Amino acid sequence: MSQVLKIACGSVAVGLAVLAIKTVAWWLTGSVALLSDALESIVNVATALAAVVALRIAAQPADSRHPFGHHKAEYFSAVLEGVLIVVAAILILREAWSAWQDPRIIEAPWLGLGINCVASLINAAWCWKLIRTGRRMHSPALEADGKHLLTDVVSSIGVTAGVVAAVLTGWAWLDPALAALVALNILWSGWQVVRGSVGGLMDVSAPEEELEQMRALISANAEGAVEAHDLRSRRAGSAIFVEFHLVVPGDMTVDAAHDICDRVEGALHKAFEGSRVIIHVEPEHKAKHSGIVVL
């Protein structure tokens, strides 16, 4: 099992543990704000399961029906997570409205808050690991899961502060008002996750800093060629696709041109793990004199 898939399975276990802890905190207090925290944990478990399924599909090798691989399955998981986040927010708003109309007294607040803080600390540690690993291994599913957990941690901090204020002031309306704010924060998080995932599904170009690195590598390793132009690149999960035209002298042999291509591909593969490189070789009269200058 790959490291990414192991971490995704760990997210399911962590999500179930945090859900159980937050449910106990809500059961002890009856706070709708703590209920909103627990409802978001249900989404965490569902999306972690979706990420596991997506990562298993993405890890499958290319086949006759999917010659470019299954990498984009991760983006579907991230989109599903965004949708589920929105559903959770709607459920929280419903509970907040009910509590606003009929304010409830918070029972055993300090014990409930202490238990909820334990769950938040677990989430904070795990979201840091998810975001760090997701960025390092170019996994949209893990990074999206981590960002959602980070939102959960921020929400939990706000919930804790709000419940403390409600208990100290006796203002029961603070509890549902805070739950509504949590829901709005969750909605924003869902929008951010969906927007990033749709960009991946639409084959958005690789970041400019990565393109600059590619240009430098091509320029430094294509000795013998004339120039390179029409560089295009996109990410699909952990894979990165690179395409460009390489102009060589008209009298160069196929073997010599192939050696240059192998050299450039090797440099790109070393710098960008999981890269797929396609090079279109052209004769000298096809030069545009506006692309990558070969050193």
Side-chain angles (χ1 to χ4, degrees):
M1 188 183 296
S2 70
Q3 182 184 357
V4 173
L5 191 54
K6 286 179 181 177
I7 293 175
C9 290
S11 289
V12 177
V14 171
L16 288 171
V18 170
L19 172 60
I21 295 171
K22 288 188 175 184
T23 300
V24 170
W26 163 68
W27 180 73
L28 286 171
T29 62
S31 166
V32 70
L34 293 184
L35 173 61
S36 71
D37 228 8
L39 282 173
E40 189 172 6
S41 293
I42 294 176
V43 177
N44 292 344
V45 174
T47 53
L49 287 170
V52 170
V53 174
L55 287 167
R56 287 183 66 89
I57 295 173
Q60 294 178 9
D63 54 38
S64 58
R65 292 190 62 192
H66 306 90
F68 294 97
H70 301 76
H71 311 286
K72 286 191 176 182
E74 290 193 51
Y75 290 115
F76 287 103
S77 168
V79 170
L80 174 61
E81 179 167 348
V83 172
L84 289 176
I85 289 172
V86 172
V87 172
I90 293 173
L91 291 175
I92 293 169
L93 285 172
R94 178 184 175 185
E95 289 297 325
W97 177 247
S98 175
W100 181 272
Q101 293 179 313
D102 183 21
R104 307 162 192 172
I105 297 175
I106 299 176
E107 301 175 0
W110 306 120
L111 177 59
L113 287 173
I115 293 173
N116 208 63
C117 284
V118 172
S120 297
L121 289 173
I122 295 173
N123 265 348
W126 191 250
C127 83
W128 176 82
K129 182 175 181 61
L130 285 174
I131 294 174
R132 183 169 176 266
T133 305
R135 288 176 177 171
R136 178 168 55 85
M137 304 192 73
H138 302 292
S139 172
L142 285 187
E143 189 173 351
D145 204 14
K147 287 180 177 179
H148 176 215
L149 273 185
L150 180 59
T151 301
D152 191 12
V153 172
V154 174
S155 298
S156 295
I157 294 172
V159 164
T160 300
V163 173
V164 168
V167 172
L168 294 178
T169 62
W171 296 341
W173 58 266
L174 274 177
D175 189 36
L178 188 62
L181 289 176
V182 170
L184 293 176
N185 186 46
I186 293 171
L187 280 174
W188 175 251
S189 170
W191 162 246
Q192 294 294 323
V193 170
V194 171
R195 187 179 68 171
S197 302
V198 169
L201 290 172
M202 293 296 293
D203 290 334
V204 172
S205 174
E208 184 58 35
E209 57 268 23
E210 289 187 354
L211 292 174
E212 283 297 328
Q213 187 179 357
M214 292 173 196
R215 294 186 186 102
L217 287 169
I218 294 169
S219 177
N221 291 275
E223 184 180 354
V226 177
E227 69 171 33
H229 56 247
D230 294 346
L231 172 66
R232 297 188 301 171
S233 183
R234 62 183 175 86
R235 278 204 173 273
S238 59
I240 182 167
F241 294 85
V242 183
E243 302 178 17
F244 63 92
H245 293 192
L246 183 69
V247 179
V248 300
D251 58 354
M252 179 175 282
T253 65
V254 173
D255 280 344
H258 188 268
D259 288 341
I260 297 174
C261 291
D262 281 346
R263 195 164 61 242
V264 174
E265 285 183 31
L268 289 170
H269 287 322
K270 186 177 180 180
F272 299 95
E273 185 179 355
S275 58
R276 274 69 166 168
V277 183
I278 299 175
I279 304 174
H280 178 69
V281 178
E282 296 180 330
E284 193 167 1
H285 71 272
K286 292 286 188 178
K288 293 185 176 181
H289 307 293
S290 61
I292 301 167
V293 177
V294 175
L295 298 178

